[in-house]
Amino acid sequence: VEESFFMQAVHDILKWGSVNASFDHLSFPGVVPRSFVGPLLISALAYPAKLVNGGRAEGIWIQLAARLALGWLVAWANSNLRRAVSAVFGSTAARWYAVFCICQFHYTFWTSRLLGNTLALVPMLFAQALWLRSMSPSSGTEQRRCYRQMAGILAFTCAVLRFDVAVFAVAMLLASISNVTRRTIVMSLGILSLSVLLTLVVDSYYWRQCWMWPELQVFRFNAVDGRSSEWGVSPPHYYFTHFLPKLLLGALPLACIGALADTRAARLAIPYVAAIAVFSANPHKEWRFILPAVPVLNVCAAVGVVRLRGIVPSSRLVTLAGATLAAGSLAIAVLATLSSSLNYPGGQALAMLHAMESAPGARVHIDSFAAMTGVSRFGQVREDWVYDKTEGLHPGQFGNYTHLITSQPELHSTGGFSIIGVQRGYAGLAITPPKLVVQSLLSGQLPIAVRQEPLVWLLRKNKWQQDT
């Protein structure tokens, strides 16, 4: 749901630039507002793609360009962190860090997703690189410079992109508080003030509200009012027992080894573990809230491999063990990527509708499930059609629409609509019973397969063809 705001915002900025009544967020503002600063940056990076084909490029190709722009930013920031790992822990650790990052599904698949968490990950990665360098055995002046720059980046990130990274920011600042100076405090407060001013100017304009500071409203909603629990609750241990193993995969045991065997890795891990413990106090939990912890713990995992190579007599055995864990993670990532590619039946159904219908004047209603599974304004390519996402309509209120994209076709069985298409999507994994695994392999079939089932239906008004 949150990705929808950023995706539509980038589309609207690229299409119109200045805010107008057609902007999606003015009709569908969401539960809490989000800042336009991130979408403005992505739009600027994706704009050259709009100039392709004489400035007539549009649709999904521009959406792809926007996602590539964000993915490139994350890759750039991550490469900077890898260089910091090389400077502090050596080139071997840097290579293992890169391997673990590549082999983790969530960390790779979501780095181009237009979420506030992903946008905030970019400056967080730069801040983590500076944090790492501030711990290196360099001069005190260099350590304080890195700490000062890190504090400024964290101030901007918390004020503009994601307020909840303040938990990690405080942990990082306290862990290296010996580097704090009066100059650091003054500069950080200055950057914080300018960041607040930036979001006030940009978001007051785009939201058409005076004194709009989106992250302050998010803070009130989640931290003060405690309303995030309306979207589900999990037990306190869930981040440690469910999300971290899911995010780190094979790197998790090596991260523990690295934190135990190397004091510098422990100085990285302990503040982040403490920050995750703070997040655990919030009943509502999502893995993306602790996404900034993944690169730091991957650094610890890389250090764990290097340390084991110095402890275990056979370094080849350690390399083999690390490669096995990475290969297992990669296999899980490949399967998860295949499964996730089937999670967008709404967007695929919209593309199917465009392929099936060519007449002008269609009025298409998109239900909530379809809107959350791939439908975006980038895919709404017919200028002579009307696309509507109005929620809460009763079955008798769909008479003005010519087409429906819905996950509940049974609601319209007596409304004068007929099914003209069905889009299947991900419905879980089919796992072969253990006693039949060998037989399955001998027959050339994998013991695990992705199940699909009908999820989204295309409906057309019975009289529409006659009317047109």
Side-chain angles (χ1 to χ4, degrees):
V1 176
E2 185 177 335
E3 185 181 13
S4 176
F5 163 75
F6 292 98
M7 185 69 75
Q8 320 303 0
V10 170
H11 169 275
D12 295 344
I13 291 169
L14 285 171
K15 184 171 183 178
W16 292 296
S18 58
V19 68
N20 58 64
S22 297
F23 268 55
D24 185 82
H25 72 287
L26 296 178
S27 300
F28 304 96
V31 179
V32 290
R34 289 295 181 183
S35 178
F36 269 83
V37 173
L40 280 170
L41 172 61
I42 300 301
S43 299
L45 293 174
Y47 182 77
K50 206 182 165 189
L51 304 179
V52 175
N53 194 27
R56 294 189 295 273
E58 60 180 13
I60 296 300
W61 293 107
I62 306 301
Q63 177 177 317
L64 178 61
R67 291 192 57 176
L68 285 174
L70 178 56
W72 174 80
L73 285 175
V74 175
W76 174 42
N78 207 22
S79 179
N80 180 66
L81 176 55
R82 184 187 60 78
R83 288 192 295 271
V85 174
S86 181
V88 177
F89 293 107
S91 59
T92 301
R95 285 193 293 269
W96 278 104
Y97 170 75
V99 168
F100 291 134
C101 289
I102 292 170
C103 294
Q104 290 165 343
F105 166 70
H106 289 83
Y107 196 58
T108 53
F109 185 79
W110 287 82
T111 51
S112 66
R113 302 293 294 271
L114 289 168
L115 283 166
N117 308 83
T118 311
L119 289 165
L121 181 63
V122 176
M124 282 298 292
L125 286 165
F126 281 107
Q128 289 166 352
L130 290 165
W131 185 41
L132 194 55
R133 292 182 184 277
S134 74
M135 296 181 181
S136 64
S138 55
S139 66
T141 302
E142 179 66 15
Q143 290 178 340
R144 288 189 290 272
R145 182 188 67 81
C146 292
Y147 184 86
R148 184 166 57 249
Q149 292 178 355
M150 176 190 75
I153 292 173
L154 293 174
F156 166 80
T157 308
C158 297
V160 178
L161 300 179
R162 288 288 304 190
F163 92 92
D164 54 4
V165 302
V167 179
F168 292 115
V170 170
M172 294 165 67
L173 292 168
L174 291 178
S176 303
I177 198 169
S178 60
N179 290 319
V180 71
T181 62
R182 183 176 181 275
R183 183 181 177 186
T184 299
I185 295 173
V186 172
M187 190 190 79
S188 299
L189 290 176
I191 291 176
L192 180 63
S193 300
L194 290 174
S195 300
V196 172
L197 179 62
L198 172 66
T199 188
L200 283 173
V201 171
V202 170
D203 294 307
S204 295
Y205 170 73
Y206 276 101
W207 284 95
R208 291 182 168 179
Q209 295 182 34
C210 292
W211 305 106
M212 169 57 76
W213 182 3
E215 288 309 303
L216 178 60
Q217 295 201 24
V218 174
F219 173 76
R220 288 174 178 169
F221 184 88
N222 290 322
V224 179
D225 299 337
R227 293 186 58 191
S228 61
S229 58
E230 296 174 10
W231 275 259
V233 298
S234 301
H237 58 79
Y238 213 61
Y239 279 125
F240 294 100
T241 60
H242 182 77
F243 285 135
L244 276 180
K246 185 177 179 180
L247 289 168
L248 296 177
L249 299 176
L252 179 57
L254 293 171
C256 295
I257 293 172
L260 292 172
D262 190 290
T263 55
R264 294 172 300 174
R267 289 177 62 191
L268 296 174
I270 291 173
Y272 267 75
V273 170
I276 294 173
V278 172
F279 274 104
S280 298
N282 185 353
H284 178 64
K285 297 174 178 64
E286 295 184 39
W287 66 264
R288 59 191 178 93
F289 297 162
I290 61 169
L291 183 61
V294 175
V296 169
L297 296 177
N298 280 344
V299 173
C300 295
V303 174
V305 175
V306 174
R307 284 295 185 177
L308 282 175
R309 286 165 61 95
I311 298 173
V312 177
S314 174
S315 61
R316 290 184 178 180
L317 183 61
V318 175
T319 301
L320 178 62
T324 301
L325 288 171
S329 299
L330 182 61
I332 293 173
V334 170
L335 179 61
T337 301
L338 174 61
S339 302
S340 296
S341 69
L342 303 174
N343 267 333
Y344 306 97
Q348 292 172 317
L350 179 60
M352 183 192 303
L353 179 61
H354 289 143
M356 296 175 64
E357 302 284 26
S358 59
R363 295 181 58 86
V364 184
H365 183 268
I366 302 163
D367 77 356
S368 298
F369 179 80
M372 292 188 295
T373 56
V375 172
S376 76
R377 285 196 162 190
F378 286 105
Q380 298 172 10
V381 296
R382 292 292 298 268
E383 296 288 346
D384 55 344
W385 286 14
V386 174
Y387 303 90
D388 185 38
K389 300 184 297 183
T390 302
E391 300 179 43
L393 298 180
H394 301 294
Q397 296 178 296
F398 290 87
N400 291 330
Y401 298 103
T402 62
H403 296 80
L404 309 178
I405 303 178
T406 179
S407 59
Q408 298 177 299
E410 66 278 2
L411 297 180
H412 310 283
S413 57
T414 59
F417 289 90
S418 298
I419 295 174
I420 59 172
V422 179
Q423 179 60 54
R424 297 166 64 83
Y426 178 73
L429 297 175
I431 301 176
T432 303
K435 62 181 180 180
L436 299 178
V437 169
V438 176
Q439 180 181 343
S440 175
L441 291 173
L442 291 175
S443 63
Q445 297 180 345
L446 294 176
I448 186 169
V450 178
R451 290 192 298 107
Q452 297 186 60
E453 64 182 27
L455 293 177
V456 177
W457 285 259
L458 297 178
L459 278 65
R460 180 171 60 203
K461 194 173 183 180
N462 294 333
K463 295 183 179 180
W464 186 64
Q465 284 185 317
Q466 291 88 338
D467 294 341
T468 55

